[in-house]
Amino acid sequence: MRKTHYNTFRNFFYKPSSKSSTKPRPFRACSFVPFSPLAMLDPTILTIGGIVLGIAIIERILERWGVIDLVDQFGKIMRLILPVTFYSALIYFFATFMF
């Protein structure tokens, strides 16, 4: 005659496993840095920065020549253009940059 082996519900479901069911496999992981300083060399941002820098240099040259009225007009225009240009370039950079 065979001997019957009884298992309780608790022993059947909550029995700790002595060996792992999945074998760990070695894998190759490639990582990259999501932000690179070279991403700032976008042609659009460089063009906008060059235009603003050029206007500032023209303003300094006109100031040395003594054309104060024209320099004052440039100053009033730049007070509006600089913040708008900076924030629009910042929004453009984050909108087109892939994170």
Side-chain angles (χ1 to χ4, degrees):
M1 271 184 59
R2 284 192 201 170
K3 188 174 182 180
T4 308
H5 180 65
Y6 292 102
N7 277 337
T8 62
F9 180 78
R10 187 170 291 158
N11 287 340
F12 181 73
F13 277 104
Y14 298 111
K15 188 167 145 182
S17 177
S18 60
K19 62 179 186 176
S20 175
S21 61
T22 59
K23 293 179 183 177
R25 285 186 263 156
F27 63 95
R28 202 178 224 186
C30 298
S31 66
F32 64 97
V33 178
F35 180 75
S36 171
L38 296 176
M40 296 294 278
L41 296 177
D42 184 37
T44 306
I45 293 183
L46 288 177
T47 303
I48 292 171
I51 290 171
V52 170
L53 187 64
I55 291 173
I57 291 172
I58 289 171
E59 184 180 356
R60 292 295 174 198
I61 291 171
L62 289 174
E63 185 180 354
R64 285 190 184 178
W65 286 351
V67 190
I68 303 300
D69 294 337
L70 199 54
V71 172
D72 188 40
Q73 294 297 324
F74 266 105
K76 288 178 184 177
I77 293 171
M78 291 299 283
R79 255 185 237 144
L80 174 69
I81 289 177
L82 282 177
V84 169
T85 305
F86 172 75
Y87 288 118
S88 61
L90 194 67
I91 289 170
Y92 171 80
F93 175 72
F94 284 118
T96 58
F97 185 66
M98 301 294 250
F99 285 102

